[in-house]
Amino acid sequence: MTEHPTSHEGRQPLAARQQERTRPRQQDAAAAAAAAAIPSPAATPNPGPGPAAVAEAQAATRREGDRLRFVGAATRRIARGIDLDEIVLGLCRASVPTFSDAILVYLRDPLPVGDERPVSPFVLRLRRSDRLRHTDEEGGEAGPESERLRPLLTDPTADLMPAAELCEVRAGGALAEVLRGVRPVFGDSAAARAALPELLGAGRPVPTGHRAILAPLRGRRRVIGAAVFVRSTERPPFEASDLLVAAQLATHTALGIDKAVLYGREAYIADELQRTMLPDSLPQPTGVRLASRYLPAAETARVGGDWYDAIPLPGSRVALVVGDVMGHSMTSAAIMGQLRTTAQTLAQLDLPPQEVLHHLDEQAQRLGSDRMATCLYAVYDPVAHRITIANAGHPPPVLLHLGGRAEVLRVPPGAPIGVGGVDFEAVELDAPAGATLLLYTDGLVESRLRDVWTGIEQLRERLAATAQLTGPDHSPPLEALCDDVLDMLGPGDRDDDIALLAARFDGIAPSDVAYWYLEPEDAAPGRARRLARRALARWGLDEMSDEVELLVSEVVTNAVRYAERPVTLRLLRTDILRCEVGDDSPQLPRQRRARETDEGGRGLFLVNRLARRWGATRLSTGKVVWFEMATRT
């Protein structure tokens, strides 16, 4: 079927219909124009607003615009603050003198954090008071001045006492009612006239008229303080619209204070977490001196995954560890703590460095699939003057020699911890006396401005330059060396936190070491006493012979009782005398109180009483029992 232009109802085509609809509108417009052109004798002109009304409207518009601009600038200034003092200072600086001539800011003491229940009683403390002084005591120029507990300015000619510093808000009192109402009120309102004397203190003058605004500071959950805005008699009083301005200032300030208090709590927790994860102090093992540094990436990222450690090992050795978990969060710090604890446990088993990294890799995989970290584990032997290093994706250490030459040690890079299925390789290198080994995390050498290898080369050059200042025969002081290394950081180099561990190798000379094997037989304690006596005589320590022989005899007797293979006896002389007895029995000796009828059980009691320190360490092949005594020279 062919559709015709005209519908079944006989309607015209579309173009004709549009012309038909347009024609009446054009006719109406023409008629209206003609009527407007002919003046009507009955019509009278409508007078517009007068000049005074127009000026008033323009002035009101300007004032409203000024208020909006002021509120915007003031809230931005308040929002810039991070800590509590900065936020309160931002409110005072924004208010005086633009909005008021004086301001008092009271905050709850103590401030509740988050969902904590506030303590009783409800106490407000004057946190800050700012005022505009027209002239100072010496007739200086007018200007804003900020001090604690400044006099409240209600009249420029009045000599007023400062406001009360503490205020206890009575339950059901006038001040409590105003604070509960949340909205700001004029100082001459009935509620404010009763609340201000309670806040400012008895006998304090209360401003008259609309020259004061009392604004509660309400955070997210509760009222946390109050602000008092005051104008002098030299400027117009507050208007009704100023209550909205005060409300905006109070709201932004209270929310900022809430955030600052929460941030302060988180920063405190972060500091405590980081402090507990890192060693409180470094040990003082024989033959090596240690120094360390830790720097967070920034004040806003105080928690990281970097750590360092120094773990004494049997045989006067020491394990040096530095690692870096990815990220800057509580999770990173928690993973770091678990890996550090695992490394300490593995170190006490006296496992080789590559085995320690292998077990750390397994532990990281158990913690999660995305738990990645780098780590460098080194074991220094002061007797052999050797160091064994294994690496898991960490930047290589730098060795500063006594003559001033600094070299980047060539160690296998390895894969990061957490990758899984990767074998780690250890290398054994010379550790000459007087040399300094520097272990660090990548935050020291890598940033947005430089790649890691450029940073490592700059670190090597810095160490060499520092060593030249002390001469070829003297090593630079260890603490000063750490500080000098950190001074190489520029303004744009603090992208990551930094852990730094420096070890100065002093070593133990072969002439200060005596080492023997003893068969596990009844004659072993007597032979051990004779060997110890000869070594002490050679070292000029004859006056210690009686005590050392007694303790050596007791420890060797305990070892021979359980050993099946030869027992080792080693004496080391440094600033102390250290004795180490090793056997193949994994059972650690424990001190107990012997009864009067017991024939044994007093050996460790004597060791505990006579030695300065003693201990026992389980090894993969047995154990080592050691004690230390102060040398009398």
Side-chain angles (χ1 to χ4, degrees):
M1 177 184 292
T2 303
E3 183 177 355
H4 295 282
T6 305
S7 66
H8 296 288
E9 290 77 7
R11 288 181 297 182
Q12 295 178 352
L14 178 62
R17 291 200 306 270
Q18 290 178 347
Q19 293 176 359
E20 193 68 23
R21 286 196 300 266
T22 307
R23 188 178 299 113
R25 297 177 186 175
Q26 295 174 348
Q27 294 173 354
D28 294 342
I38 302 174
S40 174
T44 58
N46 184 19
V54 172
E56 179 62 26
Q58 293 175 348
T61 302
R62 284 196 301 270
R63 287 196 299 271
E64 186 63 24
D66 292 341
R67 285 194 183 93
L68 292 177
R69 284 190 293 272
F70 165 72
V71 171
T75 53
R76 286 193 298 270
R77 186 166 191 169
I78 294 170
R80 282 199 299 264
I82 295 178
D83 60 22
L84 187 61
D85 290 332
E86 289 179 349
I87 293 172
V88 175
L89 178 61
L91 171 63
C92 295
R93 289 288 188 262
S95 302
V96 179
T98 308
F99 181 67
S100 62
D101 293 317
I103 182 174
L104 296 171
V105 182
Y106 283 85
L107 294 182
R108 200 162 188 158
D109 186 26
L111 277 169
V113 181
D115 295 328
E116 287 183 353
R117 291 177 59 89
V119 298
S120 297
F122 187 169
V123 176
L124 294 178
R125 178 182 293 275
L126 182 61
R127 186 78 184 191
R128 192 174 187 91
S129 172
D130 280 23
R131 73 167 189 167
L132 175 66
R133 301 188 65 191
H134 293 267
T135 56
D136 58 18
E137 289 78 7
E138 299 179 359
E141 294 294 331
E145 184 177 354
S146 170
E147 292 182 8
R148 282 183 174 272
L149 301 178
R150 298 296 303 181
L152 177 62
L153 181 61
T154 58
D155 189 294
T157 62
D159 186 12
L160 303 177
M161 297 295 292
E165 184 178 0
L166 287 177
C167 167
E168 181 175 343
V169 181
R170 299 188 303 272
L175 181 58
E177 291 299 323
V178 173
L179 296 180
R180 187 178 296 112
V182 177
R183 295 182 178 179
V185 295
F186 285 122
D188 62 347
S189 64
R193 284 200 303 269
L196 281 175
E198 183 179 347
L199 179 64
L200 304 179
R204 303 299 196 273
V206 178
T208 58
H210 285 194
R211 301 200 173 276
I213 293 178
L214 174 57
L217 302 179
R218 181 176 178 82
R220 291 175 176 84
R221 294 175 178 85
R222 60 183 65 88
V223 173
I224 59 175
V228 181
F229 303 92
V230 180
R231 283 185 180 177
S232 68
T233 56
E234 294 183 351
R235 65 190 298 178
F238 290 114
E239 301 175 359
S241 57
D242 291 326
L243 291 178
L244 299 178
V245 174
Q248 287 283 337
L249 298 179
T251 299
H252 282 82
T253 301
L255 294 178
I257 290 173
D258 256 0
K259 291 189 295 183
V261 172
L262 287 173
Y263 171 76
R265 173 61 62 86
E266 290 182 358
Y268 171 77
I269 295 174
D271 288 341
E272 289 297 313
L273 180 61
Q274 191 72 58
R275 189 176 297 110
T276 55
M277 293 300 181
L278 296 175
D280 293 333
S281 60
L282 293 173
Q284 298 178 353
T286 303
V288 61
R289 286 173 286 170
L290 303 172
S292 63
R293 295 290 186 274
Y294 175 81
L295 291 179
E299 289 297 320
T300 55
R302 304 169 75 91
V303 178
D306 291 18
W307 90 92
Y308 61 89
D309 218 338
I311 309 168
L313 299 177
S316 297
R317 296 170 299 150
V318 60
L320 307 173
V321 191
V322 65
D324 183 4
V325 178
M326 290 192 308
H328 299 89
S329 64
M330 297 290 186
T331 302
S332 301
I335 295 172
M336 177 266 285
Q338 295 181 69
L339 293 179
R340 178 175 177 244
T341 302
T342 303
Q344 289 179 329
T345 303
L346 295 171
Q348 295 303 320
L349 298 176
D350 201 25
L351 298 178
Q354 65 272 22
E355 290 297 321
V356 172
L357 294 183
H358 175 72
H359 288 293
L360 285 176
D361 180 58
E362 292 181 339
Q363 175 68 8
Q365 294 179 66
R366 285 191 290 268
L367 295 175
S369 59
D370 58 344
R371 309 310 189 194
M372 305 286 290
T374 63
C375 182
L376 192 143
Y377 188 94
V379 175
Y380 170 64
D381 189 342
V383 177
H385 295 271
R386 304 281 289 178
I387 186 168
T388 307
I389 305 175
N391 190 13
H394 204 78
V398 180
L399 184 66
L400 178 62
H401 293 268
L402 182 60
R405 181 173 63 92
E407 64 170 327
V408 180
L409 297 183
R410 296 182 178 180
V411 297
I417 291 172
V419 173
V422 179
D423 292 331
F424 299 98
E425 183 181 353
V427 294
E428 187 174 348
L429 305 171
D430 289 330
T436 304
L437 183 70
L438 197 70
L439 309 179
Y440 53 91
T441 55
D442 58 356
L444 180 66
V445 294
E446 186 179 21
S447 68
R448 293 169 296 175
L449 305 178
R450 59 182 178 182
D451 61 83
V452 62
W453 289 108
T454 301
I456 291 175
E457 180 61 23
Q458 292 177 356
L459 173 62
R460 188 194 66 79
E461 294 175 354
R462 187 61 175 258
L463 289 174
T466 302
Q468 291 178 358
L469 299 177
T470 57
D473 300 329
H474 298 86
S475 300
L478 205 56
E479 297 290 341
L481 180 66
C482 292
D483 293 335
D484 193 66
V485 166
L486 295 180
D487 287 342
M488 66 178 282
L489 297 172
D493 295 336
R494 292 291 302 280
D495 298 332
D496 197 0
D497 45 342
I498 299 171
L500 179 66
L501 179 62
R504 173 71 44 77
F505 300 142
D506 293 333
I508 301 176
S511 58
D512 293 328
V513 180
Y515 192 89
W516 305 279
Y517 285 96
L518 303 174
E519 293 296 329
E521 55 189 14
D522 295 341
R527 183 165 180 259
R529 288 194 297 269
R530 292 192 298 271
L531 294 174
R533 187 185 311 117
R534 294 172 188 170
L536 293 176
R538 186 170 66 252
W539 291 334
L541 301 175
D542 300 88
E543 69 278 4
M544 302 177 60
S545 181
D546 293 339
E547 295 179 356
V548 173
E549 286 184 41
L550 175 61
L551 300 187
V552 167
S553 178
E554 294 294 340
V555 176
V556 171
T557 299
N558 188 75
V560 169
R561 181 176 303 172
Y562 303 101
E564 296 181 358
R565 297 178 181 178
V567 175
T568 60
L569 171 63
R570 185 165 74 165
L571 296 178
L572 300 99
R573 181 192 67 164
T574 55
D575 53 341
I576 59 173
L577 180 69
R578 182 181 175 96
C579 174
E580 300 172 348
V581 178
D583 61 74
D584 61 345
S585 174
Q587 183 178 357
L588 298 180
R590 301 190 182 279
Q591 183 181 351
R592 64 184 180 89
R593 183 175 296 276
R595 294 172 297 182
E596 295 182 358
T597 56
D598 292 341
E599 296 182 0
R602 297 177 176 84
L604 291 182
F605 178 77
L606 293 174
V607 173
N608 186 63
R609 290 296 299 270
L610 298 178
R612 190 179 73 170
R613 291 196 311 155
W614 76 278
T617 305
R618 184 179 285 112
L619 307 178
S620 58
T621 58
K623 68 175 181 294
V624 169
V625 180
W626 56 269
F627 65 85
E628 295 176 352
M629 301 187 69
T631 58
R632 296 187 291 270
T633 57

